[in-house]
Amino acid sequence: MSKSYDLIVIGAGSIGVPVALEFAKKNHCVLVLDALSSPGQGEDKKAIGGIRASHSDKGKIKVCQRSIEIFSGWKERYGDDICWINNGYSFPAYTQEHEALLKELLRVQQGFGLTIQWLSPEEYRELNPGIRMEGLRGSTYCPGDGSASPLLFTQSCYFKAMDYGAEFRFNERVVGFDVAKDTIIAVKTNNNHYHCATVLNAAGASAQEVSRMAGIDIPVEPDCHEAGISEPIRPCMGPMVVDMRTEPGSKNFYFYQNSEGQVVFCLTPDPPILGRDLRSTSGFLPMIARRMITIMPMLANLRVRRTWRGLYPMTPDGFPIVGRTGERENFYQAAGMCGQGFMLSPGMAEVIFRLITGDYHEGDREILENFDPYRDFTAQEVLK
């Protein structure tokens, strides 16, 4: 008789691996399936490592606040260094419109319990001495935010999950489901059939295709973003800098200095580049270099080590899709993280555990309302 699992997770990325750890350490029999050769080989390894609770809605704020607690205490709890640093996030304003937007949002964020403040231009220069002062109207600053290594965190989660008994099958592509009376009874891969009580779709950029195999459509579409990293330099930056201004070819961009001294940077293309083309472009580096030097001239001689392109699994409103489906009673979604799967991951894994087991904590239902798979998707995440 073939083995039956309490939970099968599809996708060994930033959500799937921490979920496996969460279930395994509570003695659930869990299997993770992934079409790639090892954990974190999809979009997870392309994340730039930023971790912020400074979002615009209660759901993301609360989940990321919990994630930050977990990231910051990871080495003490599990013994693995994931390169966590508490460098904070900042959103400098160079236009009256952005100043008004950020100050209005600040009241909302503080109302949700976020420790965030408005800094004058002079106060902000104390944090980021190289920042361009001309036209600077001030900045929000969230000191609790930080950064860590996606690769090190996911690998640590993977080995800890296996220590607790979780099983992983790599190079196995999900091709369908066996269904009986609206319940998935087995997951089919190119190699095998696996019986299960519950299925979680955490397939990242492939989540829509996986969901369609279960007869359910979800509005998740991959959006291409490019990023890069420099050679290490001496510590010279404070918090992550997020410039919200638009320029030809880009909506915004952001960069920070990681724990090893490397400057990591990324931008949001305008118009969006939809699809799965992972080839780096010749236009990205000149575009972002010009923007970085404009806002922080001291980086003019920065030497770039490499660039890459990754996929943001986007939803229409910028919020994740997390919840149980109505069409398949034991099929759950954890999709559409909108490029923020890494920063959401450990906190979201706990919420997903409580969602599936029904062991809710206070506030869980309110958080999950924001991520409801059946919402109308008309709201918009301001800082997506």
Side-chain angles (χ1 to χ4, degrees):
M1 182 179 293
S2 62
K3 184 175 182 178
S4 182
Y5 295 89
D6 296 327
L7 174 68
I8 292 181
V9 180
I10 302 171
S14 58
I15 299 297
V17 177
V19 166
L21 173 59
E22 195 66 25
F23 274 81
K25 71 184 182 183
K26 293 180 173 66
N27 299 314
H28 290 258
C29 184
V30 57
L31 170 67
V32 183
L33 300 170
D34 200 286
L36 300 175
S37 59
S38 61
Q41 292 304 302
E43 305 319 305
D44 186 56
K45 71 177 183 180
K46 299 162 189 170
I48 69 169
I51 301 162
R52 63 181 169 99
S54 46
H55 298 283
S56 66
D57 75 293
K58 185 175 183 178
K60 277 189 178 180
I61 288 172
K62 292 301 182 183
V63 171
C64 281
Q65 283 179 318
R66 177 57 183 149
S67 286
I68 288 169
E69 291 178 3
I70 297 170
F71 282 124
S72 61
W74 192 265
K75 185 176 181 180
E76 182 179 358
R77 181 173 184 181
Y78 291 109
D80 293 335
D81 185 1
I82 60 170
C83 294
W84 161 261
I85 55 172
N86 188 204
N87 52 317
Y89 258 72
S90 65
F91 287 74
Y94 284 91
T95 69
Q96 186 175 358
E97 177 188 7
H98 285 155
E99 179 184 10
L101 173 65
L102 289 168
K103 285 183 174 179
E104 179 182 358
L105 184 57
L106 188 71
R107 290 191 289 271
V108 175
Q109 293 168 324
Q110 290 172 338
F112 290 146
L114 192 62
T115 302
I116 188 169
Q117 57 190 298
W118 179 262
L119 303 180
S120 69
E122 292 73 24
E123 289 172 327
Y124 186 55
R125 183 170 54 184
E126 290 294 315
L127 288 175
N128 266 330
I131 200 71
R132 177 190 175 193
M133 293 294 289
E134 182 183 354
L136 180 63
R137 306 177 70 90
S139 176
T140 58
Y141 171 52
C142 190
D145 295 341
S147 61
S149 166
L151 289 173
L152 292 176
F153 174 72
T154 300
Q155 285 296 308
S156 179
C157 277
Y158 167 62
F159 286 113
K160 300 305 176 187
M162 287 199 299
D163 288 344
Y164 282 107
E167 297 180 33
F168 291 79
R169 299 286 186 273
F170 296 108
N171 297 311
E172 290 214 30
R173 178 172 49 86
V174 173
V175 297
F177 302 100
D178 289 339
V179 179
K181 296 183 179 179
D182 296 329
T183 300
I184 295 174
I185 59 173
V187 179
K188 298 185 290 186
T189 73
N190 56 314
N191 290 336
N192 213 330
H193 274 53
Y194 298 99
H195 295 273
C196 58
T198 306
V199 179
L200 178 70
N201 177 16
S206 299
Q208 186 180 60
E209 292 92 323
V210 169
S211 190
R212 284 174 176 169
M213 293 176 196
I216 305 164
D217 201 9
I218 53 174
V220 176
E221 190 167 11
D223 183 353
C224 302
H225 287 236
E226 286 190 74
I229 190 168
S230 76
E231 292 185 347
I233 58 174
R234 65 174 178 80
C236 63
M237 287 187 61
M240 169 90 77
V241 177
V242 183
D243 187 348
M244 298 175 64
R245 291 174 292 178
T246 61
E247 288 196 1
S250 61
K251 289 183 178 179
N252 54 56
F253 84 107
Y254 35 99
F255 62 101
Y256 77 102
Q257 190 170 24
N258 68 17
S259 64
E260 297 179 335
Q262 297 164 298
V263 177
V264 191
F265 47 90
C266 186
L267 62 71
T268 302
D270 187 26
I273 304 171
L274 303 179
R276 297 176 177 274
D277 189 348
L278 294 175
R279 294 174 297 176
S280 297
T281 66
S282 61
F284 164 70
L285 192 54
M287 183 186 304
I288 198 164
R290 182 172 59 252
R291 294 203 65 172
M292 287 176 64
I293 293 169
T294 298
I295 198 171
M296 195 168 278
M298 62 184 285
L299 299 178
N301 294 320
L302 194 66
R303 293 190 295 185
V304 175
R305 174 169 287 175
R306 66 184 180 94
T307 64
W308 64 91
R309 179 184 268 186
L311 304 179
Y312 281 23
M314 295 300 298
T315 62
D317 57 5
F319 295 105
I321 296 174
V322 180
R324 186 171 72 88
T325 63
E327 297 88 343
R328 300 283 180 259
E329 63 178 30
N330 63 337
F331 186 70
Y332 289 79
Q333 306 280 15
M337 298 296 152
C338 303
Q340 297 169 342
F342 172 60
M343 66 176 69
L344 289 164
S345 58
M348 188 69 83
E350 291 185 345
V351 172
I352 290 169
F353 175 84
R354 298 192 293 268
L355 164 69
I356 293 176
T357 61
D359 184 22
Y360 289 104
H361 286 189
E362 183 180 355
D364 281 348
R365 287 183 172 85
E366 187 178 0
I367 288 171
L368 287 165
E369 283 179 5
N370 293 6
F371 309 148
D372 186 351
Y374 301 98
R375 64 185 185 270
D376 60 16
F377 295 94
T378 56
Q380 286 294 314
E381 156 71 294
V382 177
L383 300 178
K384 66 179 179 180

